[in-house]
Amino acid sequence: MRRRAVLVTLISTLLALGVPGAASSAAEPPSSDLYVSPAGDDHADGTARHPVRTLDRARDLARARVAGMKGDLTVHLASGTYRRTEPLVLDARDSGTGGHKVIWQGTGRTVISGGRQVSGWRKVAGRPGLWSAPAPQGLADTRQLYVDGVRAQRARGAVPVDLTQTPTGYTASSDTLAHWRHPSDAEFVYTSGEALWNIERNGLGQWTEPRCRIAAAEGTTITMVQPCWDNSNKRVEFPDIPGRTVSMVGPGHLTNSGRATYIENAYELLDQPGEWYLDRAAHRVYYLPRKGENLARADVEAAQAEQLVDGQGTASAPVHDIAFRGLQFSYATWLTPSRPEGFSEIQAGYTITGEKGWATQGLCQYVEGGTCPFASWTKMPGNVSVVHGQRIEFSDDVFAHLGASGLDLGTGSKDSTVNGTVFTDISGNGLEIGGVDGQTPASGVQVTNNHLYGLPREFHGGVAILNGYTQQNTIAHNQIDHVGYSAISLGWGGWPDKIGDPATANPSHDNAVRDNLIFDYMQMLDDGGGIYTQGLTGTSMADGEKVTGNVIHDQWGLGKNVYTDNGCTYETVEGNVLYNASYANVASRHTDYRDDLGNNDPTLVKDNWWEEGTSDGDNKGLVTSGNKIMTGLSDVPSETLDNAGLEPAYAGLLDRRIGAPSAPEAPSRVGTSTAGADALYVTFNPSFADGGSPVTGYTARAYDASGRQVGEQAVTAAEFKRTALVRIGELPSSGGPFTVTVTASNAHGAGAPSLASLPLTPASVSALPGAPTSPRLRTAAGAATVAWTPPTATGDAKVIGYRVTVSDGRDPIEVTGRDVLVGQPSAKGMFRVIGGLRPATSYTVTVAAVTAAGTGPTATTTATTKP
């Protein structure tokens, strides 16, 4: 009896510790499973009573047992944090056998962490509000710091000097940077996007945000690190095509004379709550706490490890039949951008690397010595990575607080799944599948019922899901929202049609992107899409890529809901619900140069609900058929809407929030335009990292040249989403130029202010804009899409809206939004849906542009609705 009492007590203790299977352990024979606990002992035998402490010891014990597996072998990880300085390396020896899996199973909140806790905080004398602590032992560098699970911002600010670009860097207008503590720590950031109002385009294409560190600042000479500088400024151009790089992606050098958008990572830039800096030489961390943070009890984590799990399969010895369930992967960094390699971005986190990367990397037949295949640039690594992995499973996991890509299922990945998992607060891409380097393509990967949101947080050209050259992959029933650039990006290397060459051959075929819910995307950069595809997707329409049943809406940056970019061939876009795009629902057309027939890349756009209203037809292989103009969601079958996004069993993922609730991150890319002699219009990119609670409003504040606040205007988030601008009035008539910052607010308060806009002095405006051009109506039975092109001349102010009138006497329709603001400088077409029309009826519609000077002349179009 006494032995039984002891056993019952033991079982109760195990249940309290969250050890799976404890309730039935009295009746079951000894288990071959293994048990791990942060309080365990690596000299133990790994039983439930005597768990080991480290993942490495558990792996070694499991490795000894897999040969005799007669069922799944589960490695039970008790709730707690398992800290790593190096990745858990798995290879073929760690695979399941006989059709059974090795399962790494979390319990409660099981965190695999690459972080080091920072403690011993003290106030810094002479710097009100600033605290410092010794850097943890062994932490030589990091790019990320988190306070109670909330990402802190590396100290940043405006470049304090004027810069003139040179072959090796810059000449500065003063020696300010040379007097900083450690100027070689500082990093220039070049944010692109569309040039809008006085917002500059500083990167390597509207979809990029490259970064290069300072090598030295001596007097007024600033030398930038190599090879990052050359890779960002010496990209080879075709000698007979001025401005066209041999890569056919973006410009050959940093635009706007190499002007940096801002500078990051210097002690001298610490001026806002939530900012931090690591002084590597002094081995100290500095931090300005946010309101309500108490460093005496906060969990402050500096990301140290660059990988958490590294699955090292090979073509001949793949790693296989392994599952990771119920685990959180957090607090890993990626240090390459801090090194001389920097971050010379091409697209979607791919970069040019190597001493002469600008001259040869990925350029194949287009330059002597070019590396093949074309477009084989360097992919951002994953903090969790598997290559040549077969039947690998990630389910019910969390990838958060990470400094590279979250998960990379790389070369040779096969028949693997990512299911029921959250990806958020990741510096770069959320999930990567396969690659574009000509290696064994990923195949049979199923990415289903995951929630990806609030990313990328640092490398803003990253995407939620990146899928390279792959076969028979399915991306379905995911929800992707609040992301800085494209949501899903597929394919690569279709660009040779830009010079009249056929799209580059690749092994992709039979991929499907279906039934996903995507919204509030492209919140920072431009020229992307909800689903973005380029290059050959198969060998025929039968095995080409299928984009079906997705609901995609509320895009901010200029692009498309579904973007078929250069070389996209054999694409089917069918049965999707597409609305609130900024430019087009589906686009675009490209010539197929595989023959001399003058056809377009074969594409089928069929049976979608959309707003652009393009009529049925066959434009040399670009077929549109059965698409329906939607005036609202009530026009769409409810089963189509209900089927998109997470399936009911996974709805709980939307309630799984990571980290402590906080105020939103700062908006970005703040720009101003004159709104009269004493007022400014302000636009900016909204906050897509909301701190765990929806953004409720924004406040714009204007400052004069002395830094004194002279104006303020608040706006709700809903109103800003509708208009894309804020008006600050009653500014001093002689106090300009003015700069503007913007803060975002939610239920937890107001966040830090944005970087300031460039200065602007309001001016009187009186000249009205010209009339829009090329007005036209695309009709259905009860609705029509009115389309037009912005006016070629806008008087002495910027277009902020349009007024559409319909001949049936209804009130004028006021057209506002981000696409209005970006339409003028980019000369992109506009469209809006008019509902409530009668069939077989003639209507006349007029469109006029609106600026601060008033409403301009109208453009008129007439058409008859369908019977």
Side-chain angles (χ1 to χ4, degrees):
M1 291 292 293
R2 186 169 182 272
R3 290 182 62 190
R4 180 171 179 79
V6 171
L7 182 58
V8 170
T9 302
L10 173 62
I11 292 170
S12 299
T13 303
L14 293 176
L15 284 169
L17 292 173
V19 177
S24 59
S25 62
E28 293 181 356
S31 172
S32 62
D33 287 357
L34 291 166
Y35 294 83
V36 194
S37 168
D41 183 349
D42 274 356
H43 293 96
D45 57 10
T47 61
R49 293 181 61 185
H50 303 104
V52 297
R53 184 176 62 84
T54 67
L55 305 184
D56 303 84
R57 179 59 177 158
R59 175 204 58 199
D60 294 343
L61 290 175
R63 186 175 286 176
R65 300 185 186 189
V66 293
M69 289 176 63
K70 296 180 180 177
D72 293 341
L73 191 163
T74 301
V75 181
H76 300 275
L77 305 181
S79 181
T81 299
Y82 298 82
R83 295 188 179 274
R84 311 288 310 175
T85 57
E86 298 292 336
L88 173 67
V89 177
L90 304 174
D91 58 32
R93 295 171 294 174
D94 305 301
S95 304
T97 60
H100 304 298
K101 288 181 179 289
V102 175
I103 302 170
W104 294 78
Q105 176 70 61
T107 306
R109 186 172 182 269
T110 303
V111 181
I112 299 178
S113 170
R116 299 293 302 275
Q117 285 187 308
V118 184
S119 58
W121 292 94
R122 297 288 184 271
K123 292 181 179 180
V124 176
R127 287 291 306 270
L130 185 64
W131 292 65
S132 77
Q137 186 175 0
L139 181 73
D141 199 3
T142 186
R143 295 181 65 90
Q144 291 84 32
L145 188 79
Y146 304 85
V147 181
D148 289 330
V150 178
R151 180 181 292 238
Q153 170 63 56
R154 283 210 308 174
R156 66 175 182 171
V159 181
V161 292
D162 293 329
L163 300 173
T164 301
Q165 191 172 359
T166 68
T168 58
Y170 299 98
T171 299
S173 57
S174 74
D175 63 354
T176 299
L177 294 180
H179 294 287
W180 282 10
R181 281 191 181 188
H182 305 295
S184 61
D185 281 351
E187 184 174 282
F188 283 153
V189 183
Y190 306 88
T191 306
S192 195
E194 292 290 335
L196 171 63
W197 292 3
N198 64 348
I199 302 174
E200 294 181 340
R201 180 189 297 173
N202 294 327
L204 288 161
Q206 295 95 306
W207 52 91
T208 66
E209 192 180 58
R211 295 163 172 263
C212 286
R213 187 170 55 78
I214 294 173
E218 300 173 348
T220 60
T221 299
I222 298 175
T223 304
M224 302 297 290
V225 294
Q226 296 287 11
C228 186
W229 186 249
D230 280 355
N231 286 338
S232 302
N233 285 290
K234 295 177 67 173
R235 298 180 182 183
V236 182
E237 297 183 357
F238 287 107
D240 54 344
I241 311 177
R244 173 67 71 194
T245 60
V246 177
S247 72
M248 291 166 266
V249 190
H253 52 81
L254 293 166
T255 54
N256 199 22
S257 299
R259 179 185 173 96
T261 308
Y262 61 94
I263 187 170
E264 190 172 275
N265 198 41
Y267 177 85
E268 290 75 9
L269 298 172
L270 286 164
D271 62 357
Q272 296 294 335
E275 288 188 333
W276 69 278
Y277 169 68
L278 170 64
D279 187 329
R280 294 182 297 159
H283 206 61
R284 293 199 71 80
V285 182
Y286 293 88
Y287 180 62
L288 274 168
R290 301 178 180 97
K291 183 179 179 180
E293 289 178 336
N294 184 339
L295 295 182
R297 60 173 181 262
D299 175 24
V300 182
E301 300 278 348
Q304 179 184 23
E306 294 192 69
Q307 269 195 311
L308 301 175
V309 177
D310 185 8
Q312 298 182 353
T314 65
S316 58
V319 57
H320 59 87
D321 296 293
I322 301 176
F324 301 89
R325 300 175 182 170
L327 304 175
Q328 177 172 327
F329 302 95
S330 291
Y331 304 125
T333 190
W334 178 40
L335 296 177
T336 295
S338 297
R339 297 170 180 139
E341 199 73 75
F343 189 73
S344 181
E345 191 170 24
I346 281 281
Q347 187 167 342
Y350 284 94
T351 57
I352 293 180
T353 58
E355 184 179 355
K356 293 273 187 171
W358 57 270
T360 61
Q361 188 177 7
L363 302 183
C364 212
Q365 71 268 28
Y366 293 104
V367 297
E368 184 177 353
T371 56
C372 288
F374 175 71
S376 180
W377 290 292
T378 301
K379 185 172 67 172
M380 181 183 296
N383 291 132
V384 176
S385 175
V386 181
V387 296
H388 289 289
Q390 298 181 6
R391 298 177 298 282
I392 305 298
E393 172 196 334
F394 289 87
S395 61
D396 191 29
D397 295 320
V398 172
F399 291 82
H401 315 321
L402 297 171
S405 291
L407 171 61
D408 178 23
L409 298 179
T411 295
S413 293
K414 184 176 181 180
D415 300 333
S416 297
T417 60
V418 182
N419 179 259
T421 289
V422 171
F423 294 80
T424 190
D425 190 22
I426 297 170
S427 288
N429 299 320
L431 167 63
E432 299 176 335
I433 312 166
V436 298
D437 54 5
Q439 302 299 312
T440 307
S443 63
V445 177
Q446 307 288 309
V447 179
T448 57
N449 286 297
N450 304 289
H451 187 201
L452 304 97
Y453 69 96
L455 60 90
R457 296 295 301 275
E458 184 177 2
F459 309 108
H460 294 115
V463 302
I465 300 176
L466 178 66
N467 184 87
Y469 297 151
T470 66
Q471 302 169 355
Q472 299 172 325
N473 286 357
T474 298
I475 301 171
H477 287 294
N478 303 286
Q479 178 169 314
I480 303 174
D481 60 270
H482 294 87
V483 292
Y485 180 52
S486 295
I488 301 174
S489 182
L490 303 103
W492 204 256
W495 305 295
D497 66 355
K498 292 181 178 180
I499 59 168
D501 282 357
T504 304
N506 72 68
S508 294
H509 64 80
D510 290 295
N511 292 311
V513 183
R514 59 174 177 81
D515 305 319
N516 300 286
L517 175 60
I518 299 170
F519 61 93
D520 288 339
Y521 60 97
M522 290 180 63
Q523 299 279 284
M524 185 167 178
L525 299 182
D526 295 279
D527 201 4
I531 298 173
Y532 174 92
T533 298
Q534 60 183 340
L536 293 163
T537 72
T539 62
S540 67
M541 293 302 299
D543 72 356
E545 185 173 284
K546 306 297 189 296
V547 176
T548 61
N550 303 283
V551 176
I552 307 174
H553 64 92
D554 289 298
Q555 169 188 312
W556 184 259
L558 190 66
K560 297 92 177 178
N561 293 134
V562 178
Y563 192 165
T564 57
D565 206 353
N566 288 84
C568 182
T569 307
Y570 301 128
E571 178 90 354
T572 297
V573 182
E574 182 175 1
N576 304 282
V577 181
L578 311 170
Y579 61 100
N580 288 356
S582 182
Y583 179 28
N585 295 137
V586 181
S588 47
R589 179 208 66 79
H590 297 284
T591 302
D592 187 351
Y593 288 102
R594 294 177 299 165
D595 54 39
D596 296 323
L597 301 179
N599 291 322
N600 293 319
D601 293 323
T603 306
L604 175 63
V605 183
K606 179 183 178 184
D607 295 337
N608 300 285
W609 288 266
W610 64 359
E611 295 177 321
E612 69 178 78
T614 303
S615 59
D616 290 356
D618 184 344
N619 181 11
K620 298 181 179 179
L622 172 56
V623 178
T624 54
S625 174
N627 301 292
K628 295 163 280 292
I629 296 176
M630 58 179 288
T631 61
L633 292 180
S634 60
D635 295 338
V636 182
S638 59
E639 59 268 23
T640 300
L641 298 174
D642 294 343
N643 191 50
L646 300 174
E647 295 178 288
Y650 296 90
L653 288 183
L654 302 181
D655 299 324
R656 185 184 292 183
R657 292 292 167 173
I658 312 303
S662 66
E665 74 170 7
S668 62
R669 304 194 74 229
V670 180
T672 55
S673 176
T674 189
D678 66 345
L680 291 175
Y681 287 122
V682 183
T683 192
F684 50 88
N685 288 67
S687 302
F688 59 88
D690 61 16
S693 180
V695 174
T696 55
Y698 298 95
T699 301
R701 296 179 175 87
Y703 301 87
D704 64 17
S706 70
R708 179 175 63 97
Q709 183 178 325
V710 293
E712 178 177 313
Q713 183 62 53
V715 64
T716 67
E719 179 67 8
F720 179 72
K721 188 173 186 176
R722 185 181 70 83
T723 64
L725 55 84
V726 180
R727 185 182 187 275
I728 304 180
E730 300 180 357
L731 296 173
S733 58
S734 59
F738 303 110
T739 58
V740 176
T741 65
V742 182
T743 58
S745 300
N746 64 9
H748 307 291
S754 67
L755 295 169
S757 68
L758 292 175
L760 183 70
T761 300
S764 298
V765 292
S766 58
L768 294 175
T773 61
S774 306
R776 53 217 179 270
L777 279 175
R778 304 162 181 163
T779 62
T785 297
V786 57
W788 68 92
T789 302
T792 55
T794 63
D796 48 14
K798 306 296 185 183
V799 173
I800 59 169
Y802 292 92
R803 173 167 289 192
V804 176
T805 60
V806 185
S807 58
D808 59 6
R810 70 182 69 191
D811 290 339
I813 301 168
E814 303 298 333
V815 176
T816 60
R818 184 66 164 195
D819 57 338
V820 170
L821 306 188
V822 299
Q824 176 64 40
S826 58
K828 302 296 188 184
M830 300 277 307
F831 60 85
R832 286 296 187 276
V833 172
I834 303 170
L837 304 181
R838 292 180 296 175
T841 302
S842 177
Y843 290 91
T844 297
V845 176
T846 66
V847 184
V850 179
T851 70
T855 303
T858 61
T860 303
T861 180
T862 299
T864 300
T865 53
K866 298 186 184 304

